[in-house]
Amino acid sequence: SVRVAMPGVMPGAVRVAVRTLCLAALLGALGAGGTELTLELPDSAQRCFHQELESGIKFTLDYQVISGGHYDVDCYVEDPNGKTIYQETKKQYDSFSHHTEVKGVYTFCFSNEFSTFSHKIVYFDFQVGDEPPILPDMNNRVTALTQLESACVTIHEMLNAVIDSQTHYRLREAQDRSRAEELNGRVSYWSVGETLILFMVSIGQVMLLKSFFTEKRPSSGGAGT
């Protein structure tokens, strides 16, 4: 729940207004349009996604490689006419915004075709359109916002910042965990290899020392008379 502290005793109508406006701010922060997805991208593979958009609409694509290889991926975006409007190679993360000029199906693809053995885990966030105002007729108002409305707008902006921070730290945690697991696997394999090498060297030393103290018996051939 979200609480707004105000001096004095608030009448019932004011409390209802506070709860209504702050609930609208909370729902606006949590209900922004868009798609978030984490996908597995095998080696030498490509994954594409398609979205039909109207003309004059803004969309934003944010992506980041969470695990795999050197944490890089190829990405490109095409408009309905097949024109490439964005293309980057071997990027760990990036953000791309664009205002559509034509109506139709836009395509954005992630490619791991340059890698022959590394699987990738890729996160992307695809947002379409501008965020709607949290207050009715907020964009068409000619008067200044009241103190209560300004407080709700501030809460809304802070909630958006919290959501962005949580997403950022969640991705960093996933990436760091993947690196830690990869490092732990390498250390485990190296330890097993060292153990085998020490075991073989120990056996070789024992056999070598044993050969030093083994008495050689003379040949049993008699001398002729």
mmCIF file of all heavy atoms in Angstrom, residues 99-139:
data_model
loop_
_atom_site.group_PDB
_atom_site.id
_atom_site.type_symbol
_atom_site.label_atom_id
_atom_site.label_comp_id
_atom_site.label_asym_id
_atom_site.label_seq_id
_atom_site.Cartn_x
_atom_site.Cartn_y
_atom_site.Cartn_z
ATOM 1 N N HIS A 99 10.450 6.110 -33.962
ATOM 2 C CA HIS A 99 9.078 6.492 -34.288
ATOM 3 C C HIS A 99 8.726 5.902 -35.653
ATOM 4 O O HIS A 99 9.416 6.174 -36.640
ATOM 5 C CB HIS A 99 8.925 8.021 -34.310
ATOM 6 C CG HIS A 99 8.870 8.630 -32.953
ATOM 7 N ND1 HIS A 99 10.013 8.931 -32.219
ATOM 8 C CD2 HIS A 99 7.813 8.993 -32.166
ATOM 9 C CE1 HIS A 99 9.670 9.476 -31.064
ATOM 10 N NE2 HIS A 99 8.342 9.514 -30.994
ATOM 11 N N THR A 100 7.698 5.109 -35.683
ATOM 12 C CA THR A 100 7.329 4.423 -36.928
ATOM 13 C C THR A 100 6.861 5.431 -37.977
ATOM 14 O O THR A 100 6.159 6.393 -37.670
ATOM 15 C CB THR A 100 6.222 3.394 -36.667
ATOM 16 O OG1 THR A 100 5.060 4.067 -36.155
ATOM 17 C CG2 THR A 100 6.684 2.362 -35.652
ATOM 18 N N GLU A 101 7.245 5.189 -39.215
ATOM 19 C CA GLU A 101 6.845 6.042 -40.333
ATOM 20 C C GLU A 101 5.769 5.398 -41.193
ATOM 21 O O GLU A 101 5.020 6.102 -41.865
ATOM 22 C CB GLU A 101 8.075 6.367 -41.186
ATOM 23 C CG GLU A 101 9.153 7.140 -40.430
ATOM 24 C CD GLU A 101 10.362 7.419 -41.287
ATOM 25 O OE1 GLU A 101 10.385 6.918 -42.450
ATOM 26 O OE2 GLU A 101 11.280 8.125 -40.826
ATOM 27 N N VAL A 102 5.723 4.072 -41.194
ATOM 28 C CA VAL A 102 4.722 3.357 -41.984
ATOM 29 C C VAL A 102 4.025 2.341 -41.092
ATOM 30 O O VAL A 102 4.576 1.866 -40.095
ATOM 31 C CB VAL A 102 5.364 2.644 -43.202
ATOM 32 C CG1 VAL A 102 5.928 3.651 -44.181
ATOM 33 C CG2 VAL A 102 6.443 1.682 -42.739
ATOM 34 N N LYS A 103 2.802 2.015 -41.447
ATOM 35 C CA LYS A 103 2.037 1.021 -40.721
ATOM 36 C C LYS A 103 2.368 -0.374 -41.246
ATOM 37 O O LYS A 103 2.530 -0.575 -42.446
ATOM 38 C CB LYS A 103 0.536 1.288 -40.882
ATOM 39 C CG LYS A 103 -0.348 0.254 -40.223
ATOM 40 C CD LYS A 103 -1.820 0.547 -40.475
ATOM 41 C CE LYS A 103 -2.711 -0.525 -39.878
ATOM 42 N NZ LYS A 103 -4.152 -0.270 -40.132
ATOM 43 N N GLY A 104 2.461 -1.331 -40.335
ATOM 44 C CA GLY A 104 2.742 -2.695 -40.756
ATOM 45 C C GLY A 104 3.432 -3.485 -39.669
ATOM 46 O O GLY A 104 3.462 -3.086 -38.499
ATOM 47 N N VAL A 105 4.005 -4.613 -40.071
ATOM 48 C CA VAL A 105 4.657 -5.536 -39.134
ATOM 49 C C VAL A 105 6.149 -5.220 -39.067
ATOM 50 O O VAL A 105 6.848 -5.282 -40.091
ATOM 51 C CB VAL A 105 4.437 -6.999 -39.575
ATOM 52 C CG1 VAL A 105 5.177 -7.946 -38.626
ATOM 53 C CG2 VAL A 105 2.945 -7.326 -39.593
ATOM 54 N N TYR A 106 6.603 -4.892 -37.878
ATOM 55 C CA TYR A 106 8.026 -4.638 -37.637
ATOM 56 C C TYR A 106 8.654 -5.904 -37.055
ATOM 57 O O TYR A 106 8.044 -6.600 -36.237
ATOM 58 C CB TYR A 106 8.214 -3.462 -36.689
ATOM 59 C CG TYR A 106 7.935 -2.116 -37.338
ATOM 60 C CD1 TYR A 106 6.630 -1.689 -37.566
ATOM 61 C CD2 TYR A 106 8.977 -1.276 -37.731
ATOM 62 C CE1 TYR A 106 6.368 -0.470 -38.166
ATOM 63 C CE2 TYR A 106 8.730 -0.049 -38.325
ATOM 64 C CZ TYR A 106 7.423 0.341 -38.544
ATOM 65 O OH TYR A 106 7.166 1.554 -39.141
ATOM 66 N N THR A 107 9.876 -6.165 -37.485
ATOM 67 C CA THR A 107 10.576 -7.391 -37.091
ATOM 68 C C THR A 107 11.875 -7.037 -36.387
ATOM 69 O O THR A 107 12.641 -6.187 -36.871
ATOM 70 C CB THR A 107 10.894 -8.259 -38.329
ATOM 71 O OG1 THR A 107 9.675 -8.543 -39.026
ATOM 72 C CG2 THR A 107 11.558 -9.551 -37.923
ATOM 73 N N PHE A 108 12.114 -7.665 -35.243
ATOM 74 C CA PHE A 108 13.418 -7.527 -34.586
ATOM 75 C C PHE A 108 13.936 -8.916 -34.254
ATOM 76 O O PHE A 108 13.200 -9.786 -33.801
ATOM 77 C CB PHE A 108 13.335 -6.641 -33.333
ATOM 78 C CG PHE A 108 12.371 -7.102 -32.287
ATOM 79 C CD1 PHE A 108 12.800 -7.824 -31.183
ATOM 80 C CD2 PHE A 108 11.029 -6.788 -32.390
ATOM 81 C CE1 PHE A 108 11.916 -8.237 -30.213
ATOM 82 C CE2 PHE A 108 10.122 -7.190 -31.423
ATOM 83 C CZ PHE A 108 10.564 -7.919 -30.326
ATOM 84 N N CYS A 109 15.214 -9.118 -34.546
ATOM 85 C CA CYS A 109 15.827 -10.441 -34.460
ATOM 86 C C CYS A 109 17.099 -10.394 -33.622
ATOM 87 O O CYS A 109 17.823 -9.389 -33.617
ATOM 88 C CB CYS A 109 16.173 -10.975 -35.854
ATOM 89 S SG CYS A 109 14.751 -11.177 -36.941
ATOM 90 N N PHE A 110 17.346 -11.512 -32.934
ATOM 91 C CA PHE A 110 18.587 -11.735 -32.201
ATOM 92 C C PHE A 110 19.288 -12.925 -32.836
ATOM 93 O O PHE A 110 18.684 -13.988 -33.030
ATOM 94 C CB PHE A 110 18.316 -12.005 -30.728
ATOM 95 C CG PHE A 110 17.614 -10.879 -30.025
ATOM 96 C CD1 PHE A 110 16.244 -10.929 -29.816
ATOM 97 C CD2 PHE A 110 18.314 -9.770 -29.593
ATOM 98 C CE1 PHE A 110 15.585 -9.895 -29.181
ATOM 99 C CE2 PHE A 110 17.662 -8.726 -28.956
ATOM 100 C CZ PHE A 110 16.294 -8.794 -28.748
ATOM 101 N N SER A 111 20.557 -12.733 -33.152
ATOM 102 C CA SER A 111 21.300 -13.750 -33.881
ATOM 103 C C SER A 111 22.543 -14.172 -33.100
ATOM 104 O O SER A 111 23.276 -13.326 -32.565
ATOM 105 C CB SER A 111 21.707 -13.237 -35.269
ATOM 106 O OG SER A 111 22.541 -14.173 -35.923
ATOM 107 N N ASN A 112 22.753 -15.495 -33.057
ATOM 108 C CA ASN A 112 23.953 -16.076 -32.454
ATOM 109 C C ASN A 112 24.671 -16.943 -33.486
ATOM 110 O O ASN A 112 25.342 -17.909 -33.136
ATOM 111 C CB ASN A 112 23.559 -16.907 -31.225
ATOM 112 C CG ASN A 112 24.761 -17.280 -30.377
ATOM 113 O OD1 ASN A 112 25.741 -16.548 -30.304
ATOM 114 N ND2 ASN A 112 24.696 -18.445 -29.738
ATOM 115 N N GLU A 113 24.503 -16.570 -34.745
ATOM 116 C CA GLU A 113 25.056 -17.390 -35.824
ATOM 117 C C GLU A 113 26.577 -17.341 -35.874
ATOM 118 O O GLU A 113 27.198 -18.237 -36.465
ATOM 119 C CB GLU A 113 24.479 -16.926 -37.164
ATOM 120 C CG GLU A 113 22.976 -17.146 -37.285
ATOM 121 C CD GLU A 113 22.399 -16.618 -38.584
ATOM 122 O OE1 GLU A 113 23.025 -15.704 -39.174
ATOM 123 O OE2 GLU A 113 21.344 -17.106 -38.997
ATOM 124 N N PHE A 114 27.183 -16.322 -35.280
ATOM 125 C CA PHE A 114 28.645 -16.240 -35.301
ATOM 126 C C PHE A 114 29.289 -17.179 -34.285
ATOM 127 O O PHE A 114 30.502 -17.384 -34.307
ATOM 128 C CB PHE A 114 29.102 -14.801 -35.024
ATOM 129 C CG PHE A 114 28.670 -14.279 -33.680
ATOM 130 C CD1 PHE A 114 29.438 -14.485 -32.552
ATOM 131 C CD2 PHE A 114 27.478 -13.580 -33.553
ATOM 132 C CE1 PHE A 114 29.035 -13.995 -31.314
ATOM 133 C CE2 PHE A 114 27.058 -13.085 -32.332
ATOM 134 C CZ PHE A 114 27.846 -13.301 -31.208
ATOM 135 N N SER A 115 28.507 -17.762 -33.383
ATOM 136 C CA SER A 115 29.035 -18.657 -32.358
ATOM 137 C C SER A 115 28.707 -20.094 -32.726
ATOM 138 O O SER A 115 27.576 -20.399 -33.127
ATOM 139 C CB SER A 115 28.442 -18.322 -30.987
ATOM 140 O OG SER A 115 28.927 -19.209 -30.002
ATOM 141 N N THR A 116 29.685 -20.986 -32.584
ATOM 142 C CA THR A 116 29.498 -22.384 -32.974
ATOM 143 C C THR A 116 29.312 -23.322 -31.796
ATOM 144 O O THR A 116 29.006 -24.508 -31.999
ATOM 145 C CB THR A 116 30.705 -22.864 -33.791
ATOM 146 O OG1 THR A 116 31.904 -22.671 -33.024
ATOM 147 C CG2 THR A 116 30.810 -22.108 -35.101
ATOM 148 N N PHE A 117 29.473 -22.822 -30.555
ATOM 149 C CA PHE A 117 29.326 -23.734 -29.417
ATOM 150 C C PHE A 117 28.752 -23.056 -28.175
ATOM 151 O O PHE A 117 28.481 -23.737 -27.183
ATOM 152 C CB PHE A 117 30.685 -24.360 -29.051
ATOM 153 C CG PHE A 117 31.746 -23.357 -28.711
ATOM 154 C CD1 PHE A 117 31.912 -22.885 -27.424
ATOM 155 C CD2 PHE A 117 32.589 -22.889 -29.700
ATOM 156 C CE1 PHE A 117 32.896 -21.960 -27.120
ATOM 157 C CE2 PHE A 117 33.579 -21.967 -29.407
ATOM 158 C CZ PHE A 117 33.727 -21.502 -28.115
ATOM 159 N N SER A 118 28.537 -21.751 -28.186
ATOM 160 C CA SER A 118 28.074 -21.038 -26.995
ATOM 161 C C SER A 118 26.589 -20.739 -27.086
ATOM 162 O O SER A 118 26.134 -20.072 -28.022
ATOM 163 C CB SER A 118 28.850 -19.726 -26.805
ATOM 164 O OG SER A 118 30.217 -19.988 -26.582
ATOM 165 N N HIS A 119 25.820 -21.244 -26.109
ATOM 166 C CA HIS A 119 24.412 -20.893 -25.981
ATOM 167 C C HIS A 119 24.307 -19.560 -25.231
ATOM 168 O O HIS A 119 25.079 -19.281 -24.333
ATOM 169 C CB HIS A 119 23.643 -21.979 -25.229
ATOM 170 C CG HIS A 119 23.375 -23.197 -26.060
ATOM 171 N ND1 HIS A 119 24.373 -23.887 -26.716
ATOM 172 C CD2 HIS A 119 22.208 -23.840 -26.355
ATOM 173 C CE1 HIS A 119 23.840 -24.909 -27.371
ATOM 174 N NE2 HIS A 119 22.531 -24.901 -27.171
ATOM 175 N N LYS A 120 23.334 -18.757 -25.588
ATOM 176 C CA LYS A 120 23.147 -17.456 -24.972
ATOM 177 C C LYS A 120 21.752 -17.382 -24.328
ATOM 178 O O LYS A 120 20.795 -17.978 -24.814
ATOM 179 C CB LYS A 120 23.280 -16.328 -26.008
ATOM 180 C CG LYS A 120 24.564 -16.369 -26.839
ATOM 181 C CD LYS A 120 25.775 -16.005 -26.032
ATOM 182 C CE LYS A 120 27.054 -16.138 -26.856
ATOM 183 N NZ LYS A 120 27.128 -15.222 -27.994
ATOM 184 N N ILE A 121 21.689 -16.636 -23.234
ATOM 185 C CA ILE A 121 20.416 -16.290 -22.615
ATOM 186 C C ILE A 121 20.263 -14.778 -22.766
ATOM 187 O O ILE A 121 21.099 -14.011 -22.279
ATOM 188 C CB ILE A 121 20.359 -16.681 -21.134
ATOM 189 C CG1 ILE A 121 20.597 -18.189 -20.981
ATOM 190 C CG2 ILE A 121 19.017 -16.301 -20.523
ATOM 191 C CD1 ILE A 121 19.532 -19.049 -21.599
ATOM 192 N N VAL A 122 19.198 -14.346 -23.453
ATOM 193 C CA VAL A 122 19.006 -12.933 -23.789
ATOM 194 C C VAL A 122 17.700 -12.435 -23.172
ATOM 195 O O VAL A 122 16.654 -13.099 -23.279
ATOM 196 C CB VAL A 122 18.974 -12.732 -25.319
ATOM 197 C CG1 VAL A 122 18.812 -11.250 -25.653
ATOM 198 C CG2 VAL A 122 20.241 -13.280 -25.959
ATOM 199 N N TYR A 123 17.780 -11.291 -22.527
ATOM 200 C CA TYR A 123 16.595 -10.610 -21.997
ATOM 201 C C TYR A 123 16.321 -9.390 -22.863
ATOM 202 O O TYR A 123 17.238 -8.660 -23.241
ATOM 203 C CB TYR A 123 16.831 -10.169 -20.557
ATOM 204 C CG TYR A 123 15.858 -9.110 -20.072
ATOM 205 C CD1 TYR A 123 14.625 -9.454 -19.541
ATOM 206 C CD2 TYR A 123 16.180 -7.755 -20.160
ATOM 207 C CE1 TYR A 123 13.731 -8.486 -19.110
ATOM 208 C CE2 TYR A 123 15.296 -6.779 -19.734
ATOM 209 C CZ TYR A 123 14.075 -7.154 -19.210
ATOM 210 O OH TYR A 123 13.196 -6.180 -18.791
ATOM 211 N N PHE A 124 15.026 -9.159 -23.181
ATOM 212 C CA PHE A 124 14.680 -7.937 -23.893
ATOM 213 C C PHE A 124 13.356 -7.394 -23.378
ATOM 214 O O PHE A 124 12.488 -8.126 -22.897
ATOM 215 C CB PHE A 124 14.635 -8.165 -25.411
ATOM 216 C CG PHE A 124 13.451 -8.951 -25.902
ATOM 217 C CD1 PHE A 124 12.242 -8.324 -26.201
ATOM 218 C CD2 PHE A 124 13.536 -10.321 -26.066
ATOM 219 C CE1 PHE A 124 11.158 -9.041 -26.659
ATOM 220 C CE2 PHE A 124 12.448 -11.048 -26.520
ATOM 221 C CZ PHE A 124 11.250 -10.403 -26.816
ATOM 222 N N ASP A 125 13.222 -6.082 -23.496
ATOM 223 C CA ASP A 125 12.015 -5.359 -23.088
ATOM 224 C C ASP A 125 11.571 -4.520 -24.275
ATOM 225 O O ASP A 125 12.304 -3.630 -24.719
ATOM 226 C CB ASP A 125 12.318 -4.492 -21.866
ATOM 227 C CG ASP A 125 11.084 -3.738 -21.373
ATOM 228 O OD1 ASP A 125 9.966 -4.051 -21.846
ATOM 229 O OD2 ASP A 125 11.230 -2.838 -20.528
ATOM 230 N N PHE A 126 10.378 -4.799 -24.786
ATOM 231 C CA PHE A 126 9.848 -4.103 -25.957
ATOM 232 C C PHE A 126 8.646 -3.271 -25.523
ATOM 233 O O PHE A 126 7.603 -3.818 -25.144
ATOM 234 C CB PHE A 126 9.436 -5.120 -27.034
ATOM 235 C CG PHE A 126 9.033 -4.498 -28.338
ATOM 236 C CD1 PHE A 126 9.982 -3.971 -29.192
ATOM 237 C CD2 PHE A 126 7.700 -4.450 -28.715
ATOM 238 C CE1 PHE A 126 9.617 -3.399 -30.399
ATOM 239 C CE2 PHE A 126 7.320 -3.884 -29.918
ATOM 240 C CZ PHE A 126 8.287 -3.357 -30.763
ATOM 241 N N GLN A 127 8.803 -1.944 -25.542
ATOM 242 C CA GLN A 127 7.762 -1.025 -25.118
ATOM 243 C C GLN A 127 7.194 -0.296 -26.330
ATOM 244 O O GLN A 127 7.948 0.176 -27.188
ATOM 245 C CB GLN A 127 8.318 -0.003 -24.115
ATOM 246 C CG GLN A 127 8.849 -0.613 -22.826
ATOM 247 C CD GLN A 127 7.744 -1.136 -21.937
ATOM 248 O OE1 GLN A 127 6.605 -0.671 -22.012
ATOM 249 N NE2 GLN A 127 8.078 -2.093 -21.089
ATOM 250 N N VAL A 128 5.877 -0.198 -26.386
ATOM 251 C CA VAL A 128 5.194 0.431 -27.509
ATOM 252 C C VAL A 128 4.369 1.597 -26.994
ATOM 253 O O VAL A 128 3.598 1.457 -26.041
ATOM 254 C CB VAL A 128 4.267 -0.561 -28.239
ATOM 255 C CG1 VAL A 128 3.544 0.132 -29.390
ATOM 256 C CG2 VAL A 128 5.057 -1.750 -28.744
ATOM 257 N N GLY A 129 4.534 2.773 -27.637
ATOM 258 C CA GLY A 129 3.731 3.935 -27.285
ATOM 259 C C GLY A 129 4.246 4.649 -26.048
ATOM 260 O O GLY A 129 5.094 4.151 -25.310
ATOM 261 N N ASP A 130 3.713 5.842 -25.846
ATOM 262 C CA ASP A 130 4.050 6.618 -24.665
ATOM 263 C C ASP A 130 3.163 6.209 -23.501
ATOM 264 O O ASP A 130 2.031 5.736 -23.674
ATOM 265 C CB ASP A 130 3.871 8.117 -24.941
ATOM 266 C CG ASP A 130 4.844 8.615 -25.997
ATOM 267 O OD1 ASP A 130 5.990 8.123 -26.019
ATOM 268 O OD2 ASP A 130 4.452 9.488 -26.800
ATOM 269 N N GLU A 131 3.680 6.394 -22.327
ATOM 270 C CA GLU A 131 2.916 6.045 -21.131
ATOM 271 C C GLU A 131 1.728 6.994 -20.970
ATOM 272 O O GLU A 131 1.879 8.214 -21.072
ATOM 273 C CB GLU A 131 3.824 6.135 -19.897
ATOM 274 C CG GLU A 131 3.146 5.703 -18.621
ATOM 275 C CD GLU A 131 4.101 5.781 -17.445
ATOM 276 O OE1 GLU A 131 5.296 6.023 -17.680
ATOM 277 O OE2 GLU A 131 3.651 5.627 -16.317
ATOM 278 N N PRO A 132 0.526 6.479 -20.729
ATOM 279 C CA PRO A 132 -0.643 7.353 -20.576
ATOM 280 C C PRO A 132 -0.538 8.181 -19.306
ATOM 281 O O PRO A 132 0.109 7.780 -18.328
ATOM 282 C CB PRO A 132 -1.812 6.362 -20.497
ATOM 283 C CG PRO A 132 -1.197 5.087 -20.013
ATOM 284 C CD PRO A 132 0.190 5.053 -20.579
ATOM 285 N N PRO A 133 -1.155 9.361 -19.271
ATOM 286 C CA PRO A 133 -1.112 10.196 -18.066
ATOM 287 C C PRO A 133 -1.817 9.506 -16.907
ATOM 288 O O PRO A 133 -2.816 8.804 -17.093
ATOM 289 C CB PRO A 133 -1.831 11.477 -18.493
ATOM 290 C CG PRO A 133 -2.690 11.069 -19.642
ATOM 291 C CD PRO A 133 -1.949 9.969 -20.348
ATOM 292 N N ILE A 134 -1.320 9.717 -15.694
ATOM 293 C CA ILE A 134 -1.890 9.046 -14.532
ATOM 294 C C ILE A 134 -3.116 9.780 -14.004
ATOM 295 O O ILE A 134 -3.904 9.207 -13.251
ATOM 296 C CB ILE A 134 -0.844 8.926 -13.408
ATOM 297 C CG1 ILE A 134 -0.406 10.308 -12.930
ATOM 298 C CG2 ILE A 134 0.344 8.128 -13.879
ATOM 299 C CD1 ILE A 134 0.500 10.264 -11.715
ATOM 300 N N LEU A 135 -3.298 11.051 -14.415
ATOM 301 C CA LEU A 135 -4.456 11.820 -13.980
ATOM 302 C C LEU A 135 -5.320 12.161 -15.182
ATOM 303 O O LEU A 135 -4.806 12.394 -16.282
ATOM 304 C CB LEU A 135 -4.012 13.116 -13.276
ATOM 305 C CG LEU A 135 -3.158 12.934 -12.014
ATOM 306 C CD1 LEU A 135 -2.711 14.292 -11.484
ATOM 307 C CD2 LEU A 135 -3.918 12.175 -10.940
ATOM 308 N N PRO A 136 -6.638 12.210 -15.031
ATOM 309 C CA PRO A 136 -7.521 12.520 -16.164
ATOM 310 C C PRO A 136 -7.251 13.922 -16.730
ATOM 311 O O PRO A 136 -7.109 14.894 -15.975
ATOM 312 C CB PRO A 136 -8.921 12.429 -15.546
ATOM 313 C CG PRO A 136 -8.755 11.618 -14.304
ATOM 314 C CD PRO A 136 -7.366 11.908 -13.809
ATOM 315 N N ASP A 137 -7.180 14.006 -18.036
ATOM 316 C CA ASP A 137 -6.984 15.278 -18.745
ATOM 317 C C ASP A 137 -5.752 16.029 -18.254
ATOM 318 O O ASP A 137 -5.718 17.261 -18.218
ATOM 319 C CB ASP A 137 -8.219 16.181 -18.596
ATOM 320 C CG ASP A 137 -9.460 15.525 -19.177
ATOM 321 O OD1 ASP A 137 -9.312 14.768 -20.157
ATOM 322 O OD2 ASP A 137 -10.569 15.767 -18.646
ATOM 323 N N MET A 138 -4.734 15.270 -17.885
ATOM 324 C CA MET A 138 -3.524 15.910 -17.340
ATOM 325 C C MET A 138 -2.796 16.712 -18.403
ATOM 326 O O MET A 138 -2.256 17.795 -18.131
ATOM 327 C CB MET A 138 -2.598 14.844 -16.742
ATOM 328 C CG MET A 138 -1.346 15.387 -16.099
ATOM 329 S SD MET A 138 -0.377 14.090 -15.301
ATOM 330 C CE MET A 138 1.069 15.036 -14.793
ATOM 331 N N ASN A 139 -2.813 16.210 -19.657
ATOM 332 C CA ASN A 139 -2.083 16.893 -20.723
ATOM 333 C C ASN A 139 -2.827 18.122 -21.248
ATOM 334 O O ASN A 139 -2.230 18.987 -21.893
ATOM 335 C CB ASN A 139 -1.820 15.924 -21.876
ATOM 336 C CG ASN A 139 -0.897 14.788 -21.471
ATOM 337 O OD1 ASN A 139 -0.072 14.954 -20.574
ATOM 338 N ND2 ASN A 139 -1.046 13.637 -22.119
#
